[in-house]
Amino acid sequence: MNYIYLTILMPCISFFITFFNNSQKLFIKKLCSYLSVIFIFFAFLNSIYISIKFFYYPSHFFIYNLWNWIGINNSPIQFNFFIDKLSLIMLVMVTGIGFLIQLFSCWYMKKEKCQSRFFSLMSLFIVSMMLLVLADNLILIYLGWELVGLCSYLLISFYYKININCTAAKKAFLMTKIGDIFLFFSIIIIYNVFHTLSIHSLFTILNGSDSFFNSKILEVITFFLLIGSIAKSAQFPFQTWLSDAMVGPTPASALIHAATMVISGVYLISRTNFIFSLTPDILFLISCISCFTILISGLSALVQHDIKKILAYSTISQVGYMFLALGSQSWNAAIFHVVVHAIFKSLLFLSTSAVILKSNLEQNIFKMGGLRKKIPLVYISFIFGISSLLSLPIITAGFYSKESILISVLGNNFTIIFFVFSLLGVFLTSMYTSRLFLFVFYGKNFFKNKNFINYKIEFAYYFPLIILNMLSTFILILIFNKNNVFPINYFYLNHKKIIFELISFLISSSGCLCSYYIWNIDKNNFIKKQYIKNFFHFIVNFLLKGWYFDKLYNLIFIFPHNFILRLINKDPIDKKLNLLKYNFQYLNKFMIKIEFSYLRKYFLIFILSIIIFLSVCIITIII
């Protein structure tokens, strides 16, 4: 395990090589991109090696000391890596998914001019996430947290010459920054109360402690941690930035949604679960937020036209399930769903990349159709990815992770209403994913030969898709032992498990059938039916605009902000200061005007001055 530093060092080297190649052009673009992939691949191999070594390690955790970083009140904050099952599972997932996405990007970005910049940002993104999951103290976690936010901002605004992309990046940056501030405050309070920022020390102090159960200070700390997490993971009320963030390159979206930015909030709560376990009211709040997020994201996805936005709302919904598991103290189920979601969501995003690229950058699903014969591998990949998203029983990995969450929610001490919301989410998920699948791959072929681009198929194209197809099935269950990350501490309804699995399957199937009836039996006529458009016009617009949350935020925050700015601009003191400035400007201009080089003009001014002086003297004598 002493080689753990190599796991983070290799993507760092990749970042510096690609970064300097972007400015100095040291290598050709293709070589640079494959160098980046090779470094990430070795990082993945090293993380696998460390995981195997840890399997035989006698303790439950291992702290790898690198150096003393900073000091607070003569107490050094060390730059250490905290290695346990949670950090290793996250590490393998981040490097593995990162490697496959980087490899696919070699095919997707091969015609882009700024390949080096793209791969340098992707490498830095992976480094930031690795720093976050390996950190042994809250300051280091915060550093990784901020770097993740910065990288997502730079990748969302990758095509920075388009104004709407920059606006989306700024929106994502500012909304997640609100959460960052709350996270920073929580760290300050933790240090002030416990005089340590070490995760292990905090665990030693708080684990099993009755004196802190339901204490107000812990409620404040966990509430601030929760705000930081839901902002980063795009949960209600911060969900609006993620759907707008789809303007970046699609492989970058895959990395943001599957293995880095969006799941960092889930990781933070899982890492600090021993604090949240002492605050049941905050856990109840997490469950409420997750249920509302599942509802609004599922309904919004149902009316979207943009294929990437549908996947974005799907991510928000699935992360909602992870938060629902966290609220139910089912930490294992949450992390298990993080891993499964990372696989099938990266599969869906990479498949979508191929669909968009081959469809001449078209993203509207209403302008697609009949693509199953043109791109068979992508069609199969969508079947695997969507089956896992729909939790198809027995054969898909999504079935096992979703099942764990649903049963843990029902076994929770709160109320059955959360279980009902989670089943409603299952129904909505099946409807919008079936709709997407039917519009893209079935029905009338909107793409004539002139609009469809046949890109050359390469190893970098089909290898990631095949691997992700395999892992989105039960094969992942054979690799991933979900019950060993955390101790099992929830009521598991084994005796009624089969009943709830059957209910979930029936609800999911009914959603698919509804979707098939509405959008596939006669989808063109459905689109054209004017009375349906009129009847649902307001509801569709309401959902299409994301429940008008942006307008509400404009009304509450942007409008008062602009009003105060205008008010400050009309400040009388400011006006007087400006008046003085303008007088000096006029005087300066006047002095410049009278400074000329003609002798006759100087003589004229001299004569006029004499006349004015004599006139004043005469008037003074007469008076």
Side-chain angles (χ1 to χ4, degrees):
M1 281 182 282
N2 291 329
Y3 298 109
I4 185 68
Y5 69 93
L6 289 176
T7 310
I8 202 165
L9 181 64
M10 282 184 269
C12 279
I13 296 170
S14 164
F15 163 68
F16 284 112
I17 290 174
T18 48
F19 178 78
F20 284 109
N21 188 60
N22 186 43
S23 57
Q24 303 297 327
K25 309 297 179 191
L26 302 173
F27 309 105
I28 58 173
K29 291 188 293 184
K30 192 171 182 179
L31 178 62
C32 185
S33 59
Y34 278 102
L35 269 178
S36 175
V37 172
I38 289 167
F39 277 110
I40 299 295
F41 178 64
F42 280 115
F44 170 65
L45 289 182
N46 196 51
S47 60
I48 293 284
Y49 171 73
I50 298 295
S51 302
I52 294 170
K53 293 284 285 183
F54 187 79
F55 184 76
Y56 297 102
Y57 193 67
S59 178
H60 293 296
F61 66 92
F62 176 78
I63 296 177
Y64 185 77
N65 181 263
L66 288 168
W67 63 79
N68 288 339
W69 186 25
I70 53 176
I72 301 175
N73 292 337
N74 298 322
S75 301
I77 302 293
Q78 295 177 324
F79 199 106
N80 294 343
F81 290 152
F82 187 80
I83 303 168
D84 64 349
K85 288 177 181 174
L86 175 60
S87 60
L88 285 176
I89 284 173
M90 295 295 291
L91 191 64
V92 172
M93 185 200 72
V94 170
T95 51
I97 297 294
F99 160 67
L100 293 172
I101 292 173
Q102 291 250 37
L103 181 60
F104 187 87
S105 302
C106 293
W107 173 80
Y108 184 86
M109 301 291 290
K110 65 182 178 183
K111 293 188 178 178
E112 288 286 342
K113 293 180 181 176
C114 304
Q115 274 191 42
S116 298
R117 181 161 61 90
F118 176 80
F119 282 98
S120 66
L121 289 175
M122 293 286 272
S123 298
L124 184 62
F125 209 171
I126 292 170
V127 170
S128 308
M129 195 62 197
M130 289 163 71
L131 189 64
L132 177 62
V133 301
L134 285 174
D136 90 316
N137 62 69
L138 290 172
I139 290 289
L140 207 52
I141 285 179
Y142 187 75
L143 178 64
W145 189 270
E146 287 290 347
L147 283 173
V148 164
L150 175 67
C151 292
S152 68
Y153 167 78
L154 294 172
L155 281 169
I156 293 167
S157 60
F158 184 76
Y159 303 115
Y160 58 87
K161 291 183 180 177
I162 304 171
N163 285 337
I164 193 171
N165 295 5
C166 298
T167 305
K170 280 188 282 187
K171 182 180 177 182
F173 188 78
L174 288 175
M175 291 196 81
T176 54
K177 190 55 65 184
I178 294 169
D180 297 353
I181 292 168
F182 277 92
L183 174 60
F184 185 71
F185 283 146
S186 70
I187 292 173
I188 292 173
I189 297 171
I190 286 172
Y191 184 78
N192 194 41
V193 175
F194 301 105
H195 307 292
T196 181
L197 294 174
S198 164
I199 298 291
H200 177 63
S201 301
L202 285 171
F203 178 78
T204 308
I205 296 169
L206 291 173
N207 187 38
S209 171
D210 294 333
S211 58
F212 285 102
F213 186 78
N214 250 342
S215 72
K216 293 298 176 190
I217 191 66
L218 277 194
E219 286 189 349
V220 172
I221 289 170
T222 48
F223 179 72
F224 283 6
L225 287 172
L226 174 63
I227 298 293
S229 300
I230 60 175
K232 213 71 161 180
S233 295
Q235 297 293 287
F236 173 79
F238 299 97
Q239 78 282 0
T240 60
W241 68 264
L242 191 60
S243 58
D244 290 350
M246 293 297 99
V247 292
T250 311
S253 301
L255 195 62
I256 291 172
H257 287 243
T260 51
M261 177 86 166
V262 177
I263 60 157
S264 53
V266 181
Y267 172 76
L268 181 66
I269 295 180
S270 301
R271 174 54 77 197
T272 54
N273 71 85
F274 53 89
I275 307 178
F276 280 89
S277 300
L278 299 172
T279 54
D281 291 342
I282 299 299
L283 290 174
F284 181 78
L285 180 61
I286 293 174
S287 298
C288 293
I289 289 171
S290 60
C291 284
F292 196 56
T293 305
I294 290 169
L295 180 67
I296 60 176
S297 56
L299 287 172
S300 299
L302 212 52
V303 298
Q304 297 298 319
H305 305 163
D306 190 317
I307 186 170
K308 288 180 71 176
K309 283 199 172 186
I310 295 172
L311 291 181
Y313 279 111
S314 166
T315 300
I316 297 170
S317 173
Q318 294 306 308
V319 176
Y321 277 104
M322 296 169 203
F323 272 82
L324 191 57
L326 294 174
S328 307
Q329 298 190 60
S330 182
W331 320 112
N332 284 310
I335 293 301
F336 185 33
H337 199 54
V338 165
V339 176
V340 174
H341 175 262
I343 289 166
F344 71 69
K345 191 48 64 73
S346 53
L347 174 62
L348 288 173
F349 264 108
L350 296 188
S351 305
T352 301
S353 305
V355 168
I356 292 171
L357 203 61
K358 295 198 173 196
S359 304
N360 202 11
L361 304 182
E362 181 59 62
Q363 294 186 202
N364 190 340
I365 60 169
F366 289 160
K367 295 180 180 178
M368 298 178 184
L371 290 179
R372 65 186 185 280
K373 293 180 182 176
K374 290 185 176 293
I375 40 178
L377 179 59
V378 173
Y379 172 64
I380 293 168
S381 301
F382 253 92
I383 290 176
F384 275 83
I386 283 179
S387 299
S388 198
L389 178 59
L390 294 179
S391 310
L392 202 66
I394 311 299
I395 58 171
T396 63
F399 167 73
Y400 298 95
S401 63
K402 191 74 74 66
E403 169 227 16
S404 301
I405 293 174
L406 293 179
I407 293 178
S408 67
V409 169
L410 196 61
N412 192 274
N413 293 325
F414 294 142
T415 171
I416 198 169
I417 191 70
F418 294 145
F419 183 70
V420 174
F421 265 97
S422 58
L423 289 182
L424 181 60
V426 170
F427 180 77
L428 293 173
T429 303
S430 60
M431 280 201 76
Y432 68 73
T433 47
S434 305
R435 171 177 172 266
L436 183 153
F437 186 69
L438 292 170
F439 271 91
V440 173
F441 294 103
Y442 286 90
K444 184 181 176 183
N445 182 9
F446 280 78
F447 289 101
K448 306 301 178 187
N449 290 331
K450 63 180 181 181
N451 292 328
F452 192 81
I453 302 171
N454 275 316
Y455 281 88
K456 185 182 176 184
I457 294 176
E458 301 172 357
F459 175 78
Y461 169 79
Y462 61 77
F463 181 77
L465 293 180
I466 291 172
I467 295 295
L468 289 171
N469 275 329
M470 291 168 60
L471 290 177
S472 63
T473 64
F474 64 92
I475 294 172
L476 181 71
I477 310 304
L478 304 176
I479 302 170
F480 184 80
N481 189 355
K482 61 181 179 179
N483 290 329
N484 285 335
V485 180
F486 296 102
I488 300 173
N489 58 349
Y490 58 86
F491 176 57
Y492 207 80
L493 299 169
N494 279 316
H495 56 293
K496 295 180 180 176
K497 187 178 168 185
I498 187 70
I499 298 172
F500 298 118
E501 287 173 358
L502 186 63
I503 291 171
S504 175
F505 174 67
L506 289 175
I507 288 173
S508 182
S509 302
S510 61
C512 293
L513 288 174
C514 285
S515 182
Y516 181 78
Y517 177 78
I518 295 171
W519 287 296
N520 192 59
I521 288 180
D522 198 359
K523 74 173 183 181
N524 293 325
N525 284 340
F526 179 83
I527 296 167
K528 290 174 184 174
K529 286 174 183 173
Q530 194 59 41
Y531 68 92
I532 292 176
K533 281 187 176 179
N534 294 335
F535 184 74
F536 290 108
H537 180 72
F538 172 75
I539 297 174
V540 169
N541 266 344
F542 180 72
L543 298 176
L544 201 60
K545 302 289 183 185
W547 296 50
Y548 290 117
F549 274 105
D550 282 335
K551 287 189 181 297
L552 184 66
Y553 295 153
N554 280 338
L555 190 66
I556 297 173
F557 300 109
I558 307 299
F559 178 73
H561 172 260
N562 292 338
F563 177 75
I564 291 169
L565 282 182
R566 283 197 295 272
L567 204 64
I568 292 172
N569 196 35
K570 293 176 182 176
D571 183 19
I573 297 173
D574 195 37
K575 278 188 173 180
K576 288 186 186 304
L577 290 174
N578 285 336
L579 185 64
L580 187 64
K581 180 185 74 175
Y582 294 141
N583 286 335
F584 276 111
Q585 284 178 349
Y586 289 136
L587 182 62
N588 179 47
K589 288 178 182 176
F590 175 74
M591 295 300 289
I592 290 171
K593 283 183 180 176
I594 64 172
E595 187 183 10
F596 28 71
S597 55
Y598 295 107
L599 185 61
R600 63 178 180 275
K601 290 188 178 180
Y602 284 123
F603 183 72
L604 181 61
I605 291 174
F606 176 73
I607 295 298
L608 285 174
S609 301
I610 294 293
I611 291 170
I612 292 170
F613 177 74
L614 290 175
S615 301
V616 171
C617 290
I618 291 169
I619 291 170
T620 308
I621 292 168
I622 292 171
I623 293 173

